[in-house]
Every structure is written in structure tokens, then in C-alpha cells.
Amino acid sequence: SAPPTRTAAATRRTRNGSLKYNTLNAEDRRWARAAARWGGDGSIDAARRACGDAGDVVAWRVAALRSRGADEAPGTAIRGSVACVADAGGALAGSARFGRRRASSTARGASGADVGGDDATTPEGARGRGRHTVHWYNLRSIPYAAAWDLQQRAVAARRADPTLPDIVLCVEHPPVYTLGRGGSVDNLCFPFDPADASVGAEERGGADVFRVERGGEVTYHGPGQLVAYPILSLGHEPPRGAMRKSLHWYVHAIEEVVIRTVGAYGLAAGRVEGLRGVWVGDAKIGAVGMAVSSWVTYHGLAINVDVDLSAFARIVPCGIEDRAVCRLADLVSPAPTLDEVRGRAAEAFAGVFDVDVEVAAGLPPEFGGRVACRAALAAAAAAAAAAA
């Protein structure tokens, strides 16, 4: 069947001169999801490239669907809108926006405020309090020390200025093991001396080891794993989106983001009573571990996409001896790309936290933005290395 016409698209020129196309009606969102799912090699970036230089969303969805011989979009509507951003030169910048447009028929509570998350699976007590934008920065692969430093700087900045926006730093790390603040070295299957990094280096495959201030035991991060660090002001007044000043709610919400991300691939992901993280059957596919300073969050979540699972054999993951770990690449065919899972995670985050999520590359403006990205990361890595 022919795709629906774009009846509710808004076009505007952004501050930097780029054109942004926001599809707003449900049919457009449905086709945009299909394009993101089926375009090119199945990645969101490939679907975006199908837009062509004009950045036209209609062309995007038609080209992406026809490239796979599809003549009908799937029946499930996307929660939110996708924006295709073209810069002044006509090349796609690769940004996206996820969220949920509020219709005039949205239920309202006694106070007149909008009530409800995007569906019944929103963590208990998560209720929307107005639209709020969280900026999601895809920093690709950076050393753990650099990401750790960026988080600490972002938290300090928000403690000093609560008006700064909420952000998520989405990264991939070179091989590294991290111990939570109460983590036991007994869960390391290699020699470890915090005063001498060379001890046990061969046994752990050259991976770094850090003890950090998050909760939880030891875990592994490496190539092929999505790691996201939300820097959120849970104590902001008025509350932003569905956010609550509750650590229990926050942990539950972060787990829900992982559950929805993994569930988007048809997997029955969920929680296990008494254990943290997200599980598919008896195997752990997503880890959570966070810290909070003056109600500003940092650290976060990790999802195993195509990570080398043999690296987990050098530790007792999260201190749990009788459970395995798994990854999406072994459970989904064709295996999703890391870029695709990033997009799914951003969309899930928007739904759980009842916010709009704007995705971009580079660093937040407080770190100098896109132009200063590499310099800032290099400086952060150097500072962390010097401190060590």
C-alpha cells in the first residue's frame, strides 16, 4: 500500500541554519520506525541516509521500505517523533529526536497537569509533569578514565547550576573492569594491586581496572557493548518529566530502559527477584550501577550487544557465581548494530522518563561542543592518567 501523506509535518530552520523536519502524526511515526528498522543494513544511520540530501522524511520512509521490498509498515506505532536534520551544506548531520507528542485528549489530573507515562509499563509512580528535553550525546569509543572524568565534571556543573539541562553520555569503552565502591576483589579472577597497574595485566588481557563510586560489584566494559551514563537532576523543582526524587524509582526506571531496549527485538527481558540488572532467561544481558550526588545521577547502564563474552570469564560478574551473561548478537538474527541499539535505547529512555530525547554527536556545550570534543576527551584522559 502507498505510504500515507505527511499531513502534520513541521519544517523550521534551527539556530545553526540547519533544516529540521519533525513528523508529528501517528502514521508518520509508524513509517519512520519502519524506515529506521529496515533501511539499508538495518541501522538507524542507514535509514537516515535514505532520506537523500534534501532530508525529506517521506523519501526516507519510501526508499527504506522499498529497498527491502516491503509494501506495508508494521502495525506497532513508534512512541515519539523522529527528526531528520540536514546541515547548511545539505549533508545529514545524523541527529534524531524521540518523545511523545501530547494530544489535546490527554487525560488530566485534578491539578490540570498531564497524567501518565507513555504506557502501563512505566515504572510505578512515573507520571508526566510536562515536556522536558534530555540531550543524548553519542561519544562513540572513549577510554573509561575520560568518560569517568566527564561525568564528574558534569555532575559538579549541575550541582553549581541546577538550570543546566539533563544529559546522557552514550559511549563504548576499550576493555576495562570496574569495581563498585563496595565491590570485593575476591570477585576478580586475576591478581590485582591498586598501587601497581602492571600486576595481573597479562591475566586480564591488558584491560584497565578502576574502583569507582557507583554501587554494585565488578563488571566488564568493552567494544560491542552500549554504555549510557545519564546525568539527571532528580531533585529539580518542578520535577522534569516523570523523574522522582527516589533512588528506588530511579534504579527501577534505568532497568526499564534496558528491558524495553532489549524487548524491542522480541526478547522476553525482565528482572530477577533479589538481583539487579536485566535478564533473558537465566543470563544477564544488561547491568545497572549508579551513583548520586546531591540528587544528580551518574554512572548508569550497560547492554551487551556484540561484546566479547570471554572477558567476563576473568571475573565473577556482579558477584553472582551461578548465572551466565549473554548478548544480543547471539539471540537476534540478523544481529543488530551498536548504532541501531543506541537509537532503540534513546527511544526507550524517552518513554520511561516521559521526556523528549534529542540525539547528537560531540559533547555538551559546557565542554566546548563538537569542535572541542577531541581536545576535551584527550585532556580528560590525560588528567585521569596523571591522577592515577
Side-chain angles (χ1 to χ4, degrees), residues 253-270:
I254 291 297
E255 288 177 336
E256 186 68 27
V257 170
V258 180
I259 289 171
R260 294 192 190 187
T261 302
V262 174
Y265 294 97
L267 299 174

Side-chain angles (χ1 to χ4, degrees), residues 11 18 37 101 167 250 254 268 289-290 292 304 311 313 321 323 369:
T11 304
S18 65
R37 183 174 181 180
R101 185 174 66 92
I167 62 174
Y250 179 65
I254 291 297
M290 55 277 298
V292 177
N304 298 331
E321 295 185 357
R323 299 289 180 117

